[in-house]
Amino acid sequence: QGLKPVVSTESPPLIFGTTAKLATDLPADASFLGKNKVPDLQKLFQKADGLPVHLKRGVPDKLLYRTTMALTIGGTIYCLIALYMASQPRNP
Amino acid sequence: MAHQAHSYHLVDPSPWPIFGAIAALLTTSGLIMWFHYNSTYLLTAGLLSMALVMLQWWRDIIRESTFQGHHTPTVQKGLRYGMILFITSEAFFFLGFFWAFFHSSLAPTPELGGLWPPTGIYPLNPLEVPLLNTAILLASGVTVTWAHHSITEGNRKQATQALFLTILLGFYFTLLQAMEYHEASFSIADGVYGSTFFVATGFHGLHVIIGSTFLTVCLLRLIKFHFTSNHHFGFEAAAWYWHFVDVIWLFLYMSIYWWGS
Protein backbone atom coordinates (compact mmCIF):
# COMPACT_ATOMS: atom_id res chain seq x y z
CA GLN A 1 0.00 0.00 0.00
CA GLY A 2 1.30 3.45 -0.73
CA LEU A 3 0.93 6.73 1.04
CA LYS A 4 -2.48 7.60 2.44
CA PRO A 5 -2.59 11.40 2.23
CA VAL A 6 -6.07 11.86 3.66
CA VAL A 7 -6.67 11.77 7.38
CA SER A 8 -8.33 8.53 8.27
CA THR A 9 -11.39 8.94 10.44
CA GLU A 10 -11.21 5.31 11.42
CA SER A 11 -8.93 3.88 14.05
CA PRO A 12 -5.18 3.35 13.36
CA PRO A 13 -5.37 -0.20 11.95
CA LEU A 14 -5.67 1.26 8.39
CA ILE A 15 -2.14 2.56 8.53
CA PHE A 16 -0.36 -0.38 10.01
CA GLY A 17 -2.36 -3.17 8.50
CA THR A 18 -5.35 -5.05 9.82
CA THR A 19 -3.47 -8.08 11.12
CA ALA A 20 -1.43 -6.21 13.69
CA LYS A 21 -2.35 -6.48 17.29
CA LEU A 22 -2.51 -2.93 18.54
CA ALA A 23 -1.23 -1.77 21.84
CA THR A 24 -4.63 -0.17 22.39
CA ASP A 25 -6.22 -3.61 22.16
CA LEU A 26 -4.13 -4.82 25.06
CA PRO A 27 -5.28 -4.69 28.66
CA ALA A 28 -4.46 -1.30 30.09
CA ASP A 29 -1.57 -1.29 32.50
CA ALA A 30 -2.06 1.02 35.41
CA SER A 31 1.65 1.29 36.09
CA PHE A 32 2.55 3.42 33.06
CA LEU A 33 1.34 6.61 31.38
CA GLY A 34 -1.56 4.66 29.95
CA LYS A 35 -3.25 6.91 27.40
CA ASN A 36 -2.48 6.20 23.78
CA LYS A 37 -1.98 9.54 22.07
CA VAL A 38 -0.83 8.09 18.72
CA PRO A 39 -4.20 8.50 16.89
CA ASP A 40 -4.32 12.19 17.86
CA LEU A 41 -0.73 12.70 16.73
CA GLN A 42 -1.52 10.91 13.49
CA LYS A 43 -4.34 13.37 12.87
CA LEU A 44 -2.09 16.32 13.69
CA PHE A 45 0.75 15.25 11.42
CA GLN A 46 -1.53 14.36 8.53
CA LYS A 47 -3.22 17.77 8.41
CA ALA A 48 -3.12 19.09 4.86
CA ASP A 49 -1.50 22.41 5.81
CA GLY A 50 1.42 22.23 3.41
CA LEU A 51 3.99 22.35 6.21
CA PRO A 52 7.07 20.14 5.87
CA VAL A 53 7.43 17.45 8.53
CA HIS A 54 10.19 19.25 10.42
CA LEU A 55 7.94 22.27 11.06
CA LYS A 56 4.62 20.46 11.32
CA ARG A 57 4.15 21.00 15.02
CA GLY A 58 4.38 24.76 14.77
CA VAL A 59 6.16 26.97 17.31
CA PRO A 60 8.40 24.47 19.16
CA ASP A 61 9.63 23.13 15.80
CA LYS A 62 10.35 26.64 14.53
CA LEU A 63 12.33 27.51 17.66
CA LEU A 64 14.44 24.37 17.51
CA TYR A 65 15.05 24.85 13.78
CA ARG A 66 16.13 28.47 14.21
CA THR A 67 18.41 27.58 17.13
CA THR A 68 20.08 24.87 15.04
CA MET A 69 20.45 27.24 12.09
CA ALA A 70 21.93 29.98 14.28
CA LEU A 71 24.43 27.55 15.79
CA THR A 72 25.51 26.08 12.45
CA ILE A 73 25.68 29.33 10.46
CA GLY A 74 27.35 31.19 13.33
CA GLY A 75 29.73 28.31 13.87
CA THR A 76 30.66 28.25 10.19
CA ILE A 77 31.52 31.96 10.24
CA TYR A 78 33.60 31.46 13.41
CA CYS A 79 35.26 28.46 11.74
CA LEU A 80 36.25 30.54 8.70
CA ILE A 81 37.63 33.30 10.92
CA ALA A 82 39.58 30.77 12.98
CA LEU A 83 40.94 29.20 9.78
CA TYR A 84 41.99 32.61 8.48
CA MET A 85 43.78 33.40 11.76
CA ALA A 86 45.39 29.99 11.93
CA SER A 87 46.77 30.37 8.41
CA GLN A 88 48.64 33.56 9.31
CA PRO A 89 52.37 32.91 9.81
CA ARG A 90 53.37 32.99 13.47
CA ASN A 91 56.80 33.87 14.82
CA PRO A 92 58.00 31.51 17.55
CA MET B 1 -3.82 15.99 -3.90
CA ALA B 2 -1.81 13.59 -6.13
CA HIS B 3 -1.40 9.99 -5.04
CA GLN B 4 1.92 8.26 -5.67
CA ALA B 5 1.95 5.15 -7.88
CA HIS B 6 4.82 3.46 -5.98
CA SER B 7 5.55 2.26 -2.48
CA TYR B 8 8.64 4.36 -1.79
CA HIS B 9 8.88 7.45 0.38
CA LEU B 10 9.93 10.70 -1.23
CA VAL B 11 10.61 12.86 1.81
CA ASP B 12 9.69 16.51 2.40
CA PRO B 13 12.57 18.96 1.85
CA SER B 14 14.66 18.90 5.02
CA PRO B 15 17.51 21.04 6.40
CA TRP B 16 19.03 18.29 8.54
CA PRO B 17 21.46 16.76 6.03
CA ILE B 18 23.23 20.05 5.31
CA PHE B 19 23.12 21.09 8.98
CA GLY B 20 24.54 17.68 9.88
CA ALA B 21 27.40 18.15 7.45
CA ILE B 22 28.08 21.58 8.93
CA ALA B 23 28.03 20.07 12.43
CA ALA B 24 30.70 17.61 11.30
CA LEU B 25 32.78 20.51 9.95
CA LEU B 26 32.48 22.42 13.22
CA THR B 27 33.32 19.35 15.30
CA THR B 28 36.45 18.47 13.33
CA SER B 29 37.75 22.01 13.11
CA GLY B 30 36.76 22.42 16.75
CA LEU B 31 39.05 19.54 17.64
CA ILE B 32 41.90 21.32 15.86
CA MET B 33 41.21 24.56 17.72
CA TRP B 34 41.18 22.64 20.99
CA PHE B 35 44.35 20.66 20.32
CA HIS B 36 46.45 23.50 18.94
CA TYR B 37 45.01 26.74 20.24
CA ASN B 38 43.41 25.68 23.52
CA SER B 39 39.96 27.01 22.54
CA THR B 40 36.77 24.96 22.97
CA TYR B 41 34.10 27.28 21.48
CA LEU B 42 34.05 25.66 18.04
CA LEU B 43 34.06 22.13 19.45
CA THR B 44 31.16 22.96 21.75
CA ALA B 45 29.21 24.49 18.85
CA GLY B 46 29.96 21.41 16.75
CA LEU B 47 28.88 18.85 19.35
CA LEU B 48 25.80 20.86 20.27
CA SER B 49 24.66 21.27 16.66
CA MET B 50 25.37 17.55 16.06
CA ALA B 51 23.09 16.65 18.97
CA LEU B 52 20.37 19.03 17.75
CA VAL B 53 20.50 17.65 14.20
CA MET B 54 20.35 14.03 15.39
CA LEU B 55 17.42 14.80 17.67
CA GLN B 56 15.40 16.57 14.99
CA TRP B 57 16.27 14.25 12.11
CA TRP B 58 15.29 11.12 14.01
CA ARG B 59 12.24 12.89 15.48
CA ASP B 60 11.15 13.59 11.89
CA ILE B 61 11.62 9.94 10.89
CA ILE B 62 9.33 8.92 13.76
CA ARG B 63 6.80 11.51 12.57
CA GLU B 64 7.01 10.23 8.98
CA SER B 65 6.57 6.59 10.02
CA THR B 66 4.41 6.35 13.12
CA PHE B 67 2.30 9.47 12.54
CA GLN B 68 2.17 9.79 8.77
CA GLY B 69 2.31 6.12 7.76
CA HIS B 70 5.01 6.45 5.09
CA HIS B 71 6.97 3.32 6.09
CA THR B 72 5.56 0.71 3.74
CA PRO B 73 7.15 -2.75 3.66
CA THR B 74 9.29 -1.55 0.75
CA VAL B 75 10.59 1.38 2.78
CA GLN B 76 11.20 -0.87 5.76
CA LYS B 77 13.23 -3.24 3.59
CA GLY B 78 15.47 -0.35 2.57
CA LEU B 79 15.92 0.62 6.20
CA ARG B 80 16.89 -2.95 7.07
CA TYR B 81 19.54 -2.98 4.32
CA GLY B 82 20.77 0.38 5.57
CA MET B 83 21.14 -0.70 9.19
CA ILE B 84 22.93 -3.91 8.21
CA LEU B 85 25.34 -2.01 6.00
CA PHE B 86 25.98 0.52 8.77
CA ILE B 87 26.70 -2.19 11.35
CA THR B 88 29.00 -3.90 8.83
CA SER B 89 30.93 -0.66 8.43
CA GLU B 90 31.28 -0.44 12.21
CA ALA B 91 32.59 -4.01 12.26
CA PHE B 92 35.33 -2.93 9.85
CA PHE B 93 36.06 0.06 12.07
CA PHE B 94 36.77 -2.24 15.01
CA LEU B 95 38.66 -4.67 12.77
CA GLY B 96 41.27 -1.96 12.33
CA PHE B 97 41.87 -1.66 16.06
CA PHE B 98 42.05 -5.43 16.47
CA TRP B 99 44.61 -5.48 13.62
CA ALA B 100 46.67 -2.89 15.48
CA PHE B 101 46.52 -4.95 18.67
CA PHE B 102 47.63 -8.17 17.00
CA HIS B 103 50.30 -6.37 14.99
CA SER B 104 52.00 -5.29 18.22
CA SER B 105 51.22 -8.27 20.43
CA LEU B 106 52.01 -11.21 18.14
CA ALA B 107 55.61 -10.07 17.65
CA PRO B 108 56.52 -7.84 20.62
CA THR B 109 59.59 -5.70 19.93
CA PRO B 110 62.77 -5.63 22.04
CA GLU B 111 61.72 -2.20 23.33
CA LEU B 112 58.79 -3.90 25.05
CA GLY B 113 61.02 -6.59 26.50
CA GLY B 114 60.27 -9.04 23.72
CA LEU B 115 57.13 -10.24 25.48
CA TRP B 116 53.42 -9.49 25.83
CA PRO B 117 52.21 -7.98 28.10
CA PRO B 118 55.25 -5.70 27.86
CA THR B 119 57.66 -5.44 30.78
CA GLY B 120 56.25 -3.20 33.50
CA ILE B 121 52.61 -3.58 32.42
CA TYR B 122 50.33 -5.32 34.93
CA PRO B 123 47.12 -6.10 33.04
CA LEU B 124 43.67 -6.35 34.62
CA ASN B 125 42.71 -9.82 35.82
CA PRO B 126 40.36 -11.19 33.14
CA LEU B 127 38.56 -13.37 35.67
CA GLU B 128 37.47 -10.44 37.82
CA VAL B 129 35.41 -7.43 36.61
CA PRO B 130 35.93 -8.16 32.88
CA LEU B 131 34.30 -11.59 33.35
CA LEU B 132 31.39 -9.97 35.18
CA ASN B 133 31.07 -7.51 32.30
CA THR B 134 30.92 -10.41 29.87
CA ALA B 135 28.11 -12.01 31.86
CA ILE B 136 26.28 -8.66 32.00
CA LEU B 137 26.36 -8.14 28.24
CA LEU B 138 25.38 -11.73 27.51
CA ALA B 139 22.44 -11.40 29.90
CA SER B 140 21.42 -8.16 28.23
CA GLY B 141 21.37 -10.01 24.91
CA VAL B 142 18.87 -12.42 26.44
CA THR B 143 16.70 -9.66 27.88
CA VAL B 144 16.56 -7.72 24.63
CA THR B 145 15.45 -10.89 22.82
CA TRP B 146 12.85 -11.42 25.52
CA ALA B 147 11.64 -7.85 24.91
CA HIS B 148 11.38 -8.51 21.18
CA HIS B 149 9.31 -11.65 21.70
CA SER B 150 7.06 -9.75 24.11
CA ILE B 151 6.47 -7.07 21.49
CA THR B 152 5.55 -9.57 18.78
CA GLU B 153 3.20 -11.30 21.22
CA GLY B 154 1.57 -7.97 22.11
CA ASN B 155 2.58 -8.19 25.76
CA ARG B 156 3.18 -4.54 26.60
CA LYS B 157 4.01 -4.92 30.28
CA GLN B 158 6.60 -7.66 29.77
CA ALA B 159 8.16 -5.87 26.81
CA THR B 160 8.61 -2.75 28.93
CA GLN B 161 10.13 -4.71 31.81
CA ALA B 162 12.53 -6.65 29.57
CA LEU B 163 13.68 -3.57 27.67
CA PHE B 164 14.15 -1.64 30.92
CA LEU B 165 16.24 -4.49 32.31
CA THR B 166 18.37 -4.47 29.16
CA ILE B 167 19.06 -0.76 29.57
CA LEU B 168 19.86 -1.21 33.26
CA LEU B 169 22.39 -3.93 32.42
CA GLY B 170 23.94 -1.61 29.84
CA PHE B 171 24.37 1.13 32.44
CA TYR B 172 25.82 -1.36 34.91
CA PHE B 173 28.42 -2.40 32.31
CA THR B 174 29.35 1.24 31.66
CA LEU B 175 29.65 1.96 35.38
CA LEU B 176 31.88 -1.06 36.01
CA GLN B 177 34.04 -0.27 33.00
CA ALA B 178 34.47 3.33 34.18
CA MET B 179 35.60 2.04 37.57
CA GLU B 180 38.04 -0.36 35.89
CA TYR B 181 39.49 2.52 33.88
CA HIS B 182 40.04 4.42 37.11
CA GLU B 183 41.63 1.46 38.90
CA ALA B 184 43.92 0.27 36.11
CA SER B 185 47.62 0.55 36.88
CA PHE B 186 48.41 1.64 33.31
CA SER B 187 47.18 4.55 31.19
CA ILE B 188 46.73 5.27 27.47
CA ALA B 189 50.19 6.81 27.49
CA ASP B 190 51.87 3.59 28.58
CA GLY B 191 53.28 2.45 25.29
CA VAL B 192 51.53 0.39 22.69
CA TYR B 193 49.78 -1.74 25.34
CA GLY B 194 48.07 1.30 26.77
CA SER B 195 47.20 2.67 23.34
CA THR B 196 45.67 -0.52 21.97
CA PHE B 197 43.84 -1.31 25.22
CA PHE B 198 42.22 2.07 25.80
CA VAL B 199 41.46 2.92 22.17
CA ALA B 200 39.79 -0.45 21.47
CA THR B 201 37.88 -0.70 24.76
CA GLY B 202 37.21 3.04 24.74
CA PHE B 203 35.49 2.99 21.36
CA HIS B 204 33.60 -0.09 22.48
CA GLY B 205 32.43 1.76 25.59
CA LEU B 206 31.28 4.67 23.43
CA HIS B 207 29.25 2.21 21.36
CA VAL B 208 27.70 0.77 24.53
CA ILE B 209 26.61 4.29 25.47
CA ILE B 210 25.21 4.89 21.97
CA GLY B 211 23.40 1.53 22.06
CA SER B 212 21.98 2.24 25.52
CA THR B 213 20.69 5.60 24.28
CA PHE B 214 19.08 3.96 21.25
CA LEU B 215 17.41 1.38 23.51
CA THR B 216 16.20 4.13 25.86
CA VAL B 217 14.53 5.94 22.96
CA CYS B 218 12.89 2.63 22.03
CA LEU B 219 11.64 2.23 25.61
CA LEU B 220 10.03 5.67 25.49
CA ARG B 221 8.42 4.85 22.13
CA LEU B 222 7.22 1.50 23.46
CA ILE B 223 5.56 3.22 26.42
CA LYS B 224 3.97 5.74 24.05
CA PHE B 225 2.36 3.00 21.93
CA HIS B 226 4.45 3.66 18.81
CA PHE B 227 5.16 -0.02 18.11
CA THR B 228 2.73 -2.61 16.85
CA SER B 229 3.21 -6.35 17.10
CA ASN B 230 4.34 -6.65 13.50
CA HIS B 231 5.83 -3.22 12.80
CA HIS B 232 8.57 -2.11 15.18
CA PHE B 233 11.68 -1.74 13.06
CA GLY B 234 13.19 0.96 15.27
CA PHE B 235 13.33 -1.56 18.08
CA GLU B 236 14.76 -4.27 15.83
CA ALA B 237 17.50 -1.92 14.65
CA ALA B 238 18.37 -1.10 18.27
CA ALA B 239 18.45 -4.80 19.14
CA TRP B 240 20.75 -5.57 16.18
CA TYR B 241 23.08 -2.79 17.24
CA TRP B 242 23.06 -4.05 20.81
CA HIS B 243 23.93 -7.62 19.74
CA PHE B 244 26.75 -6.17 17.63
CA VAL B 245 28.12 -4.32 20.69
CA ASP B 246 27.94 -7.57 22.65
CA VAL B 247 29.85 -9.51 19.96
CA ILE B 248 32.58 -6.86 19.80
CA TRP B 249 32.98 -7.15 23.58
CA LEU B 250 33.35 -10.92 23.32
CA PHE B 251 36.18 -10.48 20.81
CA LEU B 252 37.76 -7.79 23.01
CA TYR B 253 37.52 -10.01 26.06
CA MET B 254 38.98 -13.06 24.37
CA SER B 255 41.86 -11.30 22.59
CA ILE B 256 42.90 -8.26 24.64
CA TYR B 257 41.78 -9.20 28.14
CA TRP B 258 42.36 -12.95 28.16
CA TRP B 259 44.91 -13.93 25.51
CA GLY B 260 46.70 -10.62 25.98
CA SER B 261 47.28 -10.99 29.72
Side-chain angles (χ1 to χ4, degrees):
Chain A
Q1 279 297 304
L3 166 66
K4 284 189 189 293
V6 179
V7 172
S8 171
T9 49
E10 295 169 87
S11 63
L14 279 177
I15 292 173
F16 291 122
T18 48
T19 53
K21 225 191 289 184
L22 280 184
T24 44
D25 294 344
L26 301 171
D29 293 298
S31 42
F32 316 120
L33 237 47
K35 190 168 172 283
N36 183 359
K37 299 202 187 92
V38 172
D40 303 322
L41 288 164
Q42 285 170 337
K43 227 165 96 168
L44 166 69
F45 284 102
Q46 289 181 43
K47 249 193 301 184
D49 52 15
L51 284 175
V53 71
H54 69 281
L55 295 169
K56 199 91 171 163
R57 211 165 184 164
V59 175
D61 288 356
K62 231 188 331 179
L63 286 175
L64 223 51
Y65 168 67
R66 289 184 179 180
T67 307
T68 313
M69 172 122 99
L71 209 51
T72 48
I73 306 283
T76 307
I77 296 171
Y78 184 54
C79 179
L80 293 170
I81 295 173
L83 192 62
Y84 174 74
M85 285 172 21
S87 59
Q88 301 298 316
R90 275 167 159 248
N91 297 318
Chain B
M1 217 157 57
H3 289 53
Q4 60 187 58
H6 60 82
S7 56
Y8 295 94
H9 180 205
L10 299 173
V11 299
D12 292 340
S14 166
W16 311 130
I18 186 79
F19 283 171
I22 294 175
L25 166 69
L26 300 184
T27 307
T28 46
S29 49
L31 281 171
I32 294 172
M33 290 304 287
W34 181 42
F35 292 162
H36 295 278
Y37 298 93
N38 202 28
S39 162
T40 50
Y41 294 118
L42 250 190
L43 183 59
T44 312
L47 292 173
L48 203 56
S49 49
M50 196 166 86
L52 281 170
V53 167
M54 291 195 294
L55 200 135
Q56 291 171 95
W57 195 335
W58 283 322
R59 171 207 69 189
D60 285 353
I61 295 175
I62 294 175
R63 289 179 175 181
E64 289 160 2
S65 56
T66 309
F67 305 144
Q68 294 183 334
H70 287 290
H71 283 198
T72 61
T74 311
V75 171
Q76 216 195 109
K77 197 154 169 234
L79 291 171
R80 284 176 191 274
Y81 276 129
M83 192 65 192
I84 301 231
L85 287 171
F86 172 64
I87 292 178
T88 307
S89 77
E90 294 249 77
F92 280 108
F93 177 71
F94 277 97
L95 189 69
F97 295 120
F98 277 104
W99 186 326
F101 168 72
F102 283 115
H103 175 94
S104 299
S105 60
L106 282 169
T109 62
E111 289 87 348
L112 302 173
L115 37 73
W116 194 275
T119 312
I121 295 282
Y122 303 99
L124 301 164
N125 186 344
L127 299 175
E128 290 179 2
V129 175
L131 185 60
L132 173 60
N133 273 343
T134 306
I136 289 170
L137 283 186
L138 286 173
S140 71
V142 170
T143 52
V144 81
T145 307
W146 172 26
H148 190 194
H149 283 254
S150 303
I151 290 175
T152 35
E153 287 158 20
N155 193 333
R156 175 176 156 83
K157 189 156 141 208
Q158 262 198 39
T160 314
Q161 286 172 350
L163 186 48
F164 183 61
L165 200 47
T166 309
I167 296 167
L168 231 53
L169 288 168
F171 282 164
Y172 190 26
F173 175 95
T174 305
L175 181 69
L176 285 171
Q177 194 68 328
M179 282 164 55
E180 282 283 273
Y181 271 27
H182 186 68
E183 296 294 324
S185 63
F186 54 90
S187 79
I188 197 173
D190 286 322
V192 75
Y193 184 90
S195 302
T196 50
F197 180 88
F198 283 108
V199 169
T201 61
F203 271 118
H204 174 261
L206 176 65
H207 284 68
V208 171
I209 292 169
I210 292 169
S212 302
T213 309
F214 196 172
L215 288 168
T216 306
V217 169
C218 285
L219 179 62
L220 291 170
R221 294 188 67 201
L222 177 62
I223 292 173
K224 288 171 182 281
F225 299 92
H226 287 199
F227 299 136
T228 70
S229 59
N230 63 4
H231 190 167
H232 44 265
F233 176 66
F235 173 82
E236 289 182 72
W240 290 352
Y241 195 78
W242 192 251
H243 286 306
F244 162 72
V245 159
D246 186 8
V247 166
I248 294 291
W249 170 259
L250 294 174
F251 280 112
L252 278 176
Y253 181 73
M254 288 190 298
S255 49
I256 297 184
Y257 282 91
W258 196 355
W259 176 82
S261 67

